[in-house]
Amino acid sequence: MKETELLDDYIIQHIDKEPDYLKALYRDTHVKLLRPRMASGHLQGRMLKMFVQMIRPKQVLEIGTYSGYSALCLAEGLEEGALLHTFEINDEQEDFTRPWLEHSPYADKIRFYIGDALELLPEMDIVFDLAFVDGDKRKYVEYYELVLKMLTPGGYIIADNTLWDGHVLEEPHPTDKQTIGIKEFNDLIAADERVEKVILPLRDGLTIIRKK
């Protein structure tokens, strides 16, 4: 076993345990869905919960629900009266994800939308305190510009997959729109003086962005 894998195992053994409900969801995601690696998983899930507890947001946005794992972790950290609004563009995902959200202990804190967040969000009169962006990598710049307008000053955006398996270090093929999208996003954030930012090399890269 590689040293990085040994360290990963060590980390998992020394953080909060994965709740049984999330463990069952993670297992079901791997059995029934095509790209189970898209689910946040134990370590990132515990970190998302803790971020919510630290920031104490009243309104949270998630772009890219997938199987609902990250949504449940975000909702788990919410205080009484706070809400998570989570958007999934793939309507074929609804039959799997909605029951996991609605049967969870946090169902009353979650609003689940099927559709393109870029189309639905502008119609919503909500100011968010925290946003977790994990949608189409080709649209990260568009997501960012829209979300930043709807974010309270001092609010946070957490963007997932910003190291993209190390492909950010490569010159992408012109047809590799996802890598191009991530690199454009990273370059934009690095130069954007409207925000403070830091990249955490956790899993596939998490960029933490704070609106000034």
Side-chain angles (χ1 to χ4, degrees), residues 16-87:
D16 287 343
K17 291 182 178 180
E18 184 179 33
D20 289 341
Y21 191 83
L22 288 176
K23 192 178 294 184
L25 169 56
Y26 197 70
R27 189 183 307 116
D28 209 30
T29 299
H30 277 73
V31 170
K32 296 180 180 176
L33 300 183
L34 288 176
R35 293 182 292 278
R37 189 169 178 265
M38 289 170 57
S40 288
H42 184 178
L43 173 58
Q44 184 168 306
R46 294 304 85 198
M47 180 167 282
L48 289 175
K49 176 197 173 187
M50 190 168 286
F51 277 143
V52 171
Q53 291 174 316
M54 292 163 63
I55 296 167
R56 303 177 67 185
K58 294 301 182 187
Q59 298 285 351
V60 179
L61 166 66
E62 178 182 46
I63 298 178
T65 316
Y66 187 51
S67 67
Y69 191 103
S70 54
L72 291 173
C73 295
L74 292 164
E76 185 182 352
L78 289 174
E79 296 180 343
E80 195 65 35
L83 284 176
L84 167 69
H85 303 264
T86 182
F87 291 79

Side-chain angles (χ1 to χ4, degrees), residues 1-18 40-47 201-203:
M1 187 179 288
K2 295 179 182 178
E3 184 177 358
T4 53
E5 294 174 338
L6 290 170
L7 282 172
D8 287 345
D9 288 344
Y10 181 87
I11 290 168
I12 291 301
Q13 292 166 13
H14 290 81
I15 65 172
D16 287 343
K17 291 182 178 180
E18 184 179 33
S40 288
H42 184 178
L43 173 58
Q44 184 168 306
R46 294 304 85 198
M47 180 167 282
L202 173 71
R203 286 184 83 239

Side-chain angles (χ1 to χ4, degrees), residues 107-148:
D108 61 330
K109 297 181 178 181
I110 300 172
R111 302 292 180 268
F112 180 38
Y113 308 86
I114 294 292
D116 188 345
L118 292 171
E119 297 176 1
L120 298 176
L121 276 172
E123 305 299 320
M124 301 175 68
D125 186 23
I126 300 177
V127 177
F128 295 100
D129 308 296
L130 171 65
F132 179 53
V133 177
D134 190 18
D136 187 342
K137 314 312 168 193
R138 296 167 294 186
K139 298 180 179 179
Y140 261 37
V141 170
E142 293 177 75
Y143 294 146
Y144 173 68
E145 293 293 358
L146 175 59
V147 172
L148 195 63

Side-chain angles (χ1 to χ4, degrees), residues 146-164:
L146 175 59
V147 172
L148 195 63
K149 294 176 184 175
M150 303 181 72
L151 197 69
T152 185
Y156 290 84
I157 298 172
I158 302 172
D160 200 9
N161 305 116
T162 51
L163 295 180
W164 205 230

